[in-house]
Amino acid sequence: MVGSIRAIAVALPLAITAIVAGGGAGMADTFAYVGNADSNDISVFRLAPETGEMVAVQTAAFVGVEKPGASTPLAVSPDRRILIAGVRSQPYVAVSFAIDPESGMLRHIGNGPLADSMANIAMDRTGKVLFSASYGGNKVAVNPVQADGVVGAPVQVIPTGLNAHAILPDPANRFVFATNLGSDQVLSFSFDAATGVLTANDPPTIKVLDKSGPRHFVFHPNGKFVYLVHELNGDVAVFSYHGRDGVWQEIQRTTALPSGFGGKPWAADIHLTPDGRFLYASERGSNTIAAFKVDAATGQLTTIGSVPTEQQPRGFNIDPSGRYLAAVGELSDSMTVYGIDQASGALTRLKSYPVGKKPNWVEFVSLP
């Protein structure tokens, strides 16, 4: 009897640990994928849903790539089966990986050609098209994604204003937008998902404040608002979004800079929680992440505050549960995970983890 009690006492903590690590019966496992530019690979972590703990499970190297690029943008297919990495060294390629639905690990399936060094890549809502934006090449491009997940040759290469930086389809997959950081504008395209072709919208551009440097943007889950972070002045702008014609109208402008900061702004990334209640932006001049509360009715922002983060936080993301935020530092080669207070949106630092060299991008995927 004593032996049985001892066996139960030993087994119970192990069982609890297994449930927490795996998310419990019927719960999806969540994985984080970190793009590392200088080591030409992706760090893969499993996220423990109850604690926010990250467990390293794989380092997936880019097959057929030798030289490091300026950054490593990532994109995940809507069905969560394929992850694509953009390589910003010659020859410019998109590296495709299959995501194992059980382990979250990556398996290289092939490389496809990109039109230039692309700062940003994104898939359309069907997963059949890859959009990309070239900062140095001043262009955007459209590539088909083949049935096996490998990217085909570009079918469209469109010249833009200076420094195309980010490109995304709208939630309805009817319009595609691309920021031009050096021209202080956002390009607007109509998108035909059947043919995979972009055409200039009317009007073709959305003008923003001079010398603000529009960089990354995100759509609210309700499809009614767009949030845009500006690299050169640290502004975060809120726009109402009209999905019928693809029109943006600015309704608010605030800042990602922390209170009292007097240095040179250098804002980078922006993300919303999946429920749209909180918004976050990274700022590299101060090495901080700014947090905002989102008004559900108006889309407008109220500042929560800023927290210190990794050195040069070019990229971060939020897990699908909306409970955790992971930020990477290009100069610190590490990732810090924060808990998101579900009532206030405030961030609490949990733990940091080593990743590859010059990390700049984070994607979360819940499987299956």
Side-chain angles (χ1 to χ4, degrees):
M1 181 69 176
V2 172
S4 298
I5 293 173
R6 285 176 178 169
I8 292 171
V10 171
L12 187 57
L14 293 176
I16 292 172
T17 300
I19 290 171
V20 170
M27 292 183 66
D29 280 340
T30 298
F31 297 87
Y33 301 90
V34 177
N36 305 303
D38 278 0
S39 49
N40 273 329
D41 58 27
I42 297 173
S43 301
V44 184
F45 294 84
R46 178 183 282 107
L47 172 69
E50 297 303 320
T51 64
E53 182 83 14
M54 292 278 198
V55 177
V57 297
Q58 184 190 21
T59 299
F62 296 162
V63 177
V65 177
E66 296 180 0
K67 298 178 182 178
S71 64
T72 304
L74 304 179
V76 176
S77 63
D79 63 8
R80 299 167 291 175
R81 295 176 57 194
I82 302 296
L83 183 146
I84 299 175
V87 174
R88 300 186 67 188
S89 59
Q90 293 186 1
Y92 305 122
V93 294
V95 183
S96 292
F97 296 90
I99 302 173
D100 186 277
E102 299 293 331
S103 68
M105 294 177 69
L106 301 177
R107 175 178 58 84
H108 177 254
I109 53 177
N111 297 353
L114 291 175
D116 209 319
S117 168
M118 297 302 189
N120 189 222
I121 61 174
M123 300 182 82
D124 86 311
R125 306 297 176 181
T126 71
K128 296 179 180 179
V129 173
L130 183 76
F131 306 113
S132 56
S134 176
Y135 183 89
N138 307 316
K139 61 173 69 82
V140 297
V142 180
N143 294 61
V145 179
Q146 300 167 148
D148 61 0
V150 177
V151 174
V155 294
Q156 272 188 296
V157 179
I158 303 171
T160 68
L162 289 176
N163 311 132
H165 209 301
I167 186 165
L168 278 177
D170 77 343
N173 215 37
R174 295 184 60 232
F175 298 96
V176 171
F177 301 94
T179 53
N180 281 185
L181 190 148
S183 296
D184 297 311
Q185 64 183 5
V186 180
L187 300 185
S188 177
F189 300 95
S190 295
F191 175 57
D192 186 332
T195 62
V197 172
L198 297 177
T199 55
N201 195 15
D202 182 18
T205 61
I206 301 152
K207 187 71 176 75
V208 300
L209 189 68
D210 286 346
K211 298 182 180 180
S212 62
R215 184 178 166 95
H216 285 192
F217 61 99
V218 63
F219 287 91
H220 194 278
N222 66 15
K224 297 179 180 179
F225 307 105
V226 185
Y227 300 87
L228 171 65
V229 67
H230 299 72
E231 178 175 319
L232 303 183
N233 64 4
D235 281 358
V236 175
V238 184
F239 298 82
S240 62
Y241 180 63
H242 304 272
R244 185 179 63 181
D245 48 17
V247 169
W248 298 22
Q249 292 182 317
E250 185 173 325
I251 56 177
Q252 185 190 16
R253 184 174 288 263
T254 183
T255 182
L257 299 173
S259 178
F261 177 70
K264 183 179 179 180
W266 198 22
D269 206 3
I270 188 166
H271 292 282
L272 282 154
T273 52
D275 60 12
R277 293 192 302 134
F278 304 111
L279 179 131
Y280 303 88
S282 64
E283 206 292 305
R284 292 170 289 180
S286 56
N287 297 318
T288 57
I289 295 177
F292 305 88
K293 186 175 182 179
V294 180
D295 185 290
T298 67
Q300 296 198 28
L301 303 176
T302 301
T303 300
I304 298 169
S306 295
V307 297
T309 192
E310 297 283 349
Q311 193 173 3
Q312 205 162 296
R314 183 167 179 163
F316 73 95
N317 219 321
I318 297 164
D319 86 295
S321 76
R323 296 175 61 191
Y324 303 105
L325 182 152
V328 292
E330 282 190 306
L331 298 184
S332 52
D333 295 344
S334 64
M335 170 180 67
T336 295
V337 178
Y338 301 83
I340 299 174
D341 186 284
Q342 296 301 288
S344 69
L347 299 177
T348 300
R349 183 187 182 278
L350 299 179
K351 192 174 179 180
S352 295
Y353 304 85
V355 292
K357 296 179 180 179
K358 199 179 179 183
N360 72 280
W361 203 279
V362 183
E363 290 286 344
F364 277 103
V365 176
S366 286
L367 301 170

